[in-house]
Amino acid sequence: MAKMNSMRQDRNMIIIWLMLIFILPAYADAQHEMLSEKIMVLRKYDSDHLHRIAMPIGGIGTGTVSLGGIGEFRDWEIMNIPAKNYSTVTTGNDAPFFSIYTKKKNETPESRALLGPIYYADFQHYEGRSVNHHGLPRFRNATFESTYPFGIVNLSDSTMPVKVKMIGYNPFIPGNADASGIPIAIIKYEVENTSDNTIDVSISGNIRNFIGKDGREFTTNWKGDYIPTGAKENKNEYRSNHKFSGVYMYSDGVDKESPAWGTMALATPLEENRKITYRTSSVQNAWGNAVLDFWDDFSSDGLLTEKKELIDHDPMASLAVLKALKAGEKKTFTFYFTWHFPNRFAWSDSKVGNYYTTQYTDAWNVAEKEIERLPALTKKTLDFVDSFMSSSYPKVIKEAALFNLSTLRSQTVFRTEDGKMFGWEGVMDRFGSCMGSCTHVWNYEQATAYLFNDLAKTMREVEFAYTTRKNGHMGFRTNLPLVESASGIGIAAADGQMGTIMKFYRDWQLSGDSVFLTKHWSKVKAALSFAWIENGWDANADGVMEGVQHNTMDVEYFGPNPQMQLWYLGALRAGEEIAIYLKDEAFAKKCRTLFESGSKWTDKNLFNGEYYIHKIQTPESKDNIAKGLMAGMGSKHIDSPDYQLASGCLVDQLVGQYMAHVLGLGYLVKEENVKTTLQSILKYNKREGMFEHFNNMRSYAMGDEKALLMASWPKGGRPKIPFPYWSEVMTGFEYTAAIGMLYEGMQQEGLEIIMNIRDRYDGKKRNPFDEAECGHHYARAMASWAGIIQQSGFHYSAVDKTIGFTNKEGNYFWSNGSSWGMCEILEAEKIYHVTFSVKYGRIELEYLTLGRDIAEELRQSIILKENESVKLELRR
């Protein structure tokens, strides 16, 4: 018996030994898997394509700071205004940065800024400081990878015993605007010990307390340097609790009503086997001594020695984490930068505030509330990215759709205290571009509705409850603060107004919100009926817009033209569908009658055999133009108006059809004419290079870049003074045409147009996360999300509880604005095997369709919740 017990003990010891050798290390590795290893990378940028990269890593409506291609933080836009190229200080060595210290036993330590090399183009400067951190030791090699919202900077140097991966991001979870709207930049440095020995590694984050300095106020010296001002009696305070520790930054002297007043914090989580040190100040910053004092302190032993003297108005805060890494070991150093700036004014003279600041008391409270949630939010963000990346969409479709989502996290977008979402058209370097959630620009984008339907509905609420008057006139820009039925500017845009009706239909269908529908239907109906007022767009109510039409070209078109006409036909179809649902038979009949007559007229009178043209038709006098239709930005002479399209081939002449396809409203004009028109746009407007192209306006494509021009006149007849943007190239319009091509089966042609766009935004020439038009981060470019909708054939109606996809085999990410998941379609022997799953939210279904003619009515209505799925078989 004793012998048997001994044998059992030996066997148990062997099992334990095997577990220690094989199982537990594998378990430990799984537990400590690096974040970078979980991210499916969509796009990689080599060392020649980093210069322009600046990826926003703020939340929706919170402001942002951007991660640069070599690991720098740039564009500090957290204080309620745009701030391109703003580093918080005069260009030099004082801008925010992170640094690393490494020490092998018995060897001299090495310290570097966690930055890649300076670009040769930036070497020259009148005083030897062309870029920030020019004097700090750096890594020799850098590359950048991204699948938005994750940005990864890879740093290496043969003289250093480590390789570093820096990951910057902010949670992004479709359907959850609050979780996607946290004022935080999450920064993780994954450090790998490439040496044969154990080393000490310390990483320090360093930032001056620049509260009060948003960049608008500045002075200059005798050299002409830009010197931002506004900081006053700013203070830093070290804090620690059971979850994290860090430096809290506030101000006792900045005006508390200033947009630049608020709080910031730099924090790190509490972990085992690490040492945290800090400094809340440095020496007086004369002759660069503040950064010198920090560097001497940090580079000596990787630890920081507190300095309590607050000498400067913008004292420098530093927070360091020291860990030991064994040979070949990887460890993560995590930092959180949070902010809280409540005083947003936007385009108003009165404060409108920020929604995000109503969720937290200050920047420290952001960390207190969110740090424990971040692992779960990060996991769900990874779920979104993994699902999206595992889809069957072409890579360029994924890139165009995903990277343009960064616009939602730029200063283009904000949320007022009550949670409503507003947007500039884009942003200039220091100011918003074109106020008022401009309807004729925001009409094009699809990302907001299909990813955050609750936010899209707030925009519809503003458009109909506040900017639409009782007579149906909708000002195409919204004034703030909001006044019911009176916030719109005095001019209505024909395309903007008709487009909002289509968007209202879309957002109602996606949400199934009957309260939303009934609350705003009277204004929607009035907005459509406004087209029929005396001397209006369609005064004789024949389904054709003959009147004067202000539009997205910032001028008025006189007479029928395809751009406005197809928006109008689409609005009539949307109005008809809503009226049928509400049993408003008379209005539904009128919409149908006008649609049919208008559609026939358009094909007969505007289609020239290759594309649709503009027939100039002028009123007898200005007295024959209804009040509120002319902005005064266009022609001064109505008898022979300037700024017209005339016989030109317009790049987005089928924009209404593009929208109708997305919404499932069918063809607005003859199907064969649509395809012919798109072929003509490709034939006449595409340029293989811009060397020979004349453009008297703005250039968004140059040199050997390929692009689609806004307009061409292949048969002659260009007006002496055409509409202003005739010779330009703008991505939102290009996406509209390209996705239209995809809908018409022109797969190769449509993908090529999108590829041409993304080739222009390659990191070397332009920022991949900033497609510009009239400003950075232009809203219209989010039309790129429609590529996902088209390629999947996705249609969803929460009203009918119906979801539809293409009948092509594949694995498709889908999102309806409140939930998302995957749909896998396989075909075998004329049977479609469909696996439909929900990864987030919930969805109720009664019907599933594939293509135009394959449908399955479920035996009973089903509700799928997060991580639930259903398998179906559909016969051809």
Side-chain angles (χ1 to χ4, degrees):
M1 181 68 68
K3 185 176 181 180
M4 290 180 64
N5 288 336
S6 177
M7 290 174 64
R8 288 194 188 102
Q9 290 175 355
D10 290 344
R11 185 183 64 185
N12 290 339
M13 287 300 295
I14 292 172
I15 292 173
I16 292 171
W17 180 73
L18 290 171
M19 288 180 64
L20 289 171
I21 292 177
F22 296 108
I23 299 175
L24 291 182
Y27 174 78
D29 288 344
Q31 295 301 302
H32 294 91
E33 184 181 4
M34 299 288 105
L35 175 60
S36 64
E37 296 169 357
K38 300 176 183 179
I39 300 169
M40 298 176 65
V41 173
L42 176 58
R43 183 69 186 265
K44 297 181 180 181
Y45 299 86
D46 63 25
S47 58
D48 292 329
H49 293 81
L50 305 178
H51 196 191
R52 295 292 185 182
I53 292 175
M55 190 192 83
I57 49 175
I60 297 175
T62 68
T64 189
V65 59
S66 292
L67 174 61
I70 58 172
E72 79 278 29
F73 292 96
R74 55 197 296 181
D75 304 343
W76 287 84
E77 302 174 287
I78 62 176
M79 296 182 182
N80 299 304
I81 63 165
K84 293 303 175 193
N85 302 310
Y86 180 58
S87 66
T88 78
V89 295
T90 303
T91 301
N93 289 317
D94 293 323
F97 70 100
F98 280 78
S99 52
I100 187 170
Y101 162 95
T102 64
K103 175 70 166 65
K104 293 182 183 180
K105 188 176 181 180
N106 300 322
E107 291 190 18
T108 303
E110 295 278 356
S111 297
R112 299 280 192 277
L114 282 159
L115 299 167
I118 297 172
Y119 311 108
Y120 291 135
D122 289 334
F123 275 24
Q124 184 168 346
H125 185 263
Y126 59 84
E127 204 185 32
R129 47 182 177 83
S130 55
V131 294
N132 288 303
H133 318 116
H134 56 84
L136 302 186
R138 295 167 172 250
F139 284 74
R140 284 176 168 81
N141 306 302
T143 60
F144 188 89
E145 302 171 333
S146 183
T147 304
Y148 191 79
F150 296 101
I152 304 172
V153 180
N154 301 293
L155 299 172
S156 65
D157 191 317
S158 61
T159 67
M160 290 289 286
V162 295
K163 289 182 179 179
V164 180
K165 282 184 177 289
M166 173 198 184
I167 303 99
Y169 71 102
N170 182 297
F172 190 95
I173 304 170
N176 192 336
D178 285 3
S180 305
I182 302 171
I184 189 171
I186 303 169
I187 306 151
K188 291 180 178 288
Y189 289 96
E190 297 176 355
V191 181
E192 178 184 0
N193 179 359
T194 58
S195 76
D196 298 328
N197 306 102
T198 296
I199 60 173
D200 288 335
V201 175
S202 179
I203 291 182
S204 175
N206 313 280
I207 182 171
R208 302 194 76 85
N209 181 341
F210 65 100
I211 293 169
K213 295 198 301 180
D214 60 12
R216 284 183 289 192
E217 298 179 6
F218 64 94
T219 186
T220 58
N221 56 20
W222 65 273
K223 295 173 283 190
D225 289 335
Y226 165 82
I227 306 171
T229 60
K232 185 179 180 181
E233 299 177 31
N234 292 1
K235 295 179 180 178
N236 301 331
E237 175 185 307
Y238 179 75
R239 294 180 175 183
S240 186
N241 56 37
H242 68 283
K243 294 183 292 185
F244 65 95
S245 62
V247 181
Y248 174 63
M249 291 166 262
Y250 62 101
S251 177
D252 284 339
V254 174
D255 182 358
K256 292 187 177 182
E257 295 301 313
S258 167
W261 176 82
T263 57
M264 306 184 299
L266 178 64
T268 188
L270 297 184
E271 302 169 334
E272 294 182 356
N273 301 318
R274 86 303 168 254
K275 185 169 186 178
I276 297 172
T277 55
Y278 63 91
R279 291 159 52 120
T280 56
S281 187
S282 186
V283 299
Q284 187 174 14
N285 197 25
W287 297 92
N289 285 334
V291 72
L292 169 64
D293 184 74
F294 158 78
W295 195 262
D296 285 347
D297 184 10
F298 177 69
S299 62
S300 64
D301 55 8
L303 302 175
L304 299 176
T305 304
E306 166 66 322
K307 288 185 176 292
K308 295 183 179 180
E309 312 86 56
L310 293 176
I311 298 170
D312 296 318
H313 282 293
D314 59 343
M316 180 178 176
S318 299
L319 182 67
V321 178
L322 176 69
K323 298 181 180 183
L325 274 70
K326 297 176 183 178
E329 189 176 16
K330 296 179 183 178
K331 286 188 178 180
T332 300
F333 297 71
T334 300
F335 294 86
Y336 307 110
F337 179 74
T338 61
W339 60 90
H340 187 276
F341 290 88
N343 301 326
R344 182 181 292 275
F345 287 79
W347 51 77
S348 172
D349 292 331
S350 303
K351 184 171 73 173
V352 298
N354 282 309
Y355 172 75
Y356 84 88
T357 59
T358 68
Q359 308 301 297
Y360 314 98
T361 56
D362 55 32
W364 192 258
N365 186 237
V366 174
E368 287 178 320
K369 283 190 172 183
E370 301 298 351
I371 281 180
E372 285 188 331
R373 288 208 309 154
L374 288 181
L377 297 180
T378 299
K379 182 180 183 302
K380 189 51 65 176
T381 301
L382 285 167
D383 285 348
F384 162 58
V385 167
D386 289 349
S387 299
F388 188 85
M389 286 294 292
S390 64
S391 299
S392 302
Y393 304 117
K395 182 178 178 180
V396 71
I397 290 280
K398 293 178 182 177
E399 181 184 326
L402 200 61
F403 284 26
N404 274 305
L405 297 182
S406 59
T407 293
L408 291 173
R409 325 254 264 186
S410 71
Q411 281 287 356
T412 295
V413 170
F414 62 94
R415 298 178 69 185
T416 50
E417 286 183 346
D418 59 4
K420 292 184 179 68
M421 176 172 151
F422 294 84
W424 302 88
E425 291 182 19
V427 294
M428 301 302 182
D429 283 358
R430 303 298 306 161
F431 306 99
S433 172
C434 304
M435 53 77 78
S437 302
C438 178
T439 58
H440 61 62
V441 169
W442 279 85
N443 274 353
Y444 289 68
E445 71 95 10
Q446 304 297 332
T448 307
Y450 282 91
L451 296 175
F452 301 100
N453 189 250
D454 55 341
L455 295 183
K457 286 196 299 178
T458 69
M459 299 188 83
R460 302 297 83 75
E461 179 184 0
V462 169
E463 288 159 356
F464 290 102
Y466 295 96
T467 67
T468 301
R469 301 172 187 171
K470 293 180 180 179
N471 70 348
H473 178 284
M474 178 189 293
F476 70 88
R477 300 188 191 277
T478 301
N479 289 309
L480 288 172
L482 293 175
V483 178
E484 189 172 344
S485 299
S487 283
I489 64 169
I491 305 301
D495 51 354
Q497 188 151 330
M498 296 301 105
T500 57
I501 295 167
M502 297 185 77
K503 290 187 296 186
F504 182 87
Y505 172 78
R506 175 196 65 195
D507 297 346
W508 164 57
Q509 285 287 315
L510 288 174
S511 66
D513 189 338
S514 58
V515 174
F516 171 75
L517 174 65
T518 55
K519 178 181 179 180
H520 299 297
W521 170 237
S522 63
K523 283 288 192 71
V524 174
K525 188 175 177 180
L528 185 50
S529 302
F530 182 78
W532 311 322
I533 66 170
E534 184 179 1
N535 296 322
W537 295 318
D538 182 16
N540 61 356
D542 64 350
V544 180
M545 279 196 170
E546 302 99 343
V548 175
Q549 303 145 55
H550 187 79
N551 63 80
T552 200
M553 303 306 174
D554 295 324
V555 294
E556 287 83 34
Y557 283 170
F558 289 72
N561 63 86
Q563 191 178 28
M564 262 52 70
Q565 180 63 15
L566 267 71
W567 274 122
Y568 181 33
L569 294 176
L572 288 168
R573 281 288 294 115
E576 176 191 10
E577 292 294 329
I578 299 172
I580 290 172
Y581 179 84
L582 293 174
K583 296 181 171 54
D584 188 340
E585 296 178 2
F587 196 74
K589 183 178 180 180
K590 182 167 187 176
C591 288
R592 167 51 61 173
T593 300
L594 294 189
F595 168 75
E596 289 181 349
S597 62
S599 178
K600 291 177 182 178
W601 190 96
T602 303
D603 280 320
K604 181 179 179 180
N605 294 276
L606 297 187
F607 188 69
N608 70 357
E610 291 189 284
Y611 57 88
Y612 292 90
I613 63 170
H614 170 202
K615 288 199 168 184
I616 299 174
Q617 186 174 317
T618 59
E620 293 182 2
S621 72
K622 287 188 176 182
D623 294 335
N624 298 110
I625 303 172
K627 184 179 179 181
L629 299 189
M630 285 190 70
M633 296 173 65
S635 179
K636 307 297 182 184
H637 308 288
I638 64 170
D639 56 333
S640 180
D642 292 327
Y643 308 119
Q644 304 301 290
L645 174 63
S647 61
C649 180
L650 186 66
V651 67
D652 73 324
Q653 58 188 280
L654 296 177
V655 58
Q657 184 61 70
Y658 146 90
M659 189 69 162
H661 279 325
V662 170
L663 273 55
L665 290 173
Y667 281 93
L668 306 179
V669 289
K670 288 183 179 180
E671 180 177 352
E672 60 268 28
N673 290 353
V674 170
K675 186 164 186 176
T676 298
T677 296
L678 289 164
Q679 290 170 337
S680 298
I681 291 171
L682 193 66
K683 178 180 178 181
Y684 296 128
N685 293 37
K686 185 182 177 184
R687 295 293 180 270
E688 295 296 326
M690 309 302 288
F691 279 105
E692 290 79 26
H693 178 64
F694 171 81
N695 175 14
N696 59 305
M697 286 287 287
R698 304 165 300 187
S699 293
Y700 300 109
M702 293 181 278
D704 59 1
E705 294 179 323
K706 299 177 182 179
L708 279 184
L709 299 182
M710 289 292 290
S712 63
W713 283 264
K715 300 179 184 298
R718 195 209 81 188
K720 183 176 178 58
I721 303 179
F723 71 92
Y725 313 128
W726 67 279
S727 60
E728 293 186 356
V729 169
M730 293 183 273
T731 68
F733 295 99
E734 290 178 284
Y735 284 127
T736 303
I739 293 165
M741 293 174 194
L742 297 177
Y743 272 113
E744 300 309 318
M746 300 167 64
Q747 181 82 355
Q748 181 178 343
E749 296 89 339
L751 291 180
E752 183 181 352
I753 296 302
I754 298 173
M755 179 66 76
N756 292 342
I757 294 171
R758 294 308 302 173
D759 282 348
R760 302 200 298 265
Y761 289 84
D762 65 352
K764 182 177 185 178
K765 295 175 288 188
R766 298 177 187 83
N767 182 5
F769 306 96
D770 176 11
E771 291 191 14
E773 190 180 312
C774 185
H776 302 282
H777 309 294
Y778 204 76
R780 198 186 326 257
M782 288 190 287
S784 57
W785 189 262
I788 298 298
I789 300 168
Q790 186 283 324
Q791 291 285 286
S792 61
F794 179 74
H795 287 294
Y796 175 71
S797 171
V799 179
D800 299 329
K801 300 179 178 59
T802 300
I803 198 162
F805 294 92
T806 179
N807 58 5
K808 297 178 182 178
E809 285 190 309
N811 201 20
Y812 301 101
F813 170 85
W814 62 268
S815 177
N816 65 7
S818 59
S819 57
W820 49 271
M822 299 296 294
C823 183
E824 182 183 47
I825 302 171
L826 300 174
E827 184 183 4
E829 299 179 352
K830 297 185 179 181
I831 297 177
Y832 288 98
H833 302 271
V834 178
T835 303
F836 179 82
S837 61
V838 175
K839 297 295 185 78
Y840 178 86
R842 66 185 294 278
I843 192 168
E844 185 174 0
L845 296 177
E846 292 183 2
Y847 295 90
L848 186 143
T849 65
L850 299 181
R852 294 185 178 182
D853 52 9
I854 303 170
E856 174 77 4
E857 182 176 359
L858 307 182
R859 294 176 183 174
Q860 61 183 15
S861 177
I862 62 170
I863 295 176
L864 294 178
K865 300 176 183 177
E866 188 168 328
N867 296 323
E868 294 182 347
S869 63
V870 62
K871 292 188 177 183
L872 302 169
E873 290 186 357
L874 287 76
R875 293 186 177 274
R876 278 194 171 191

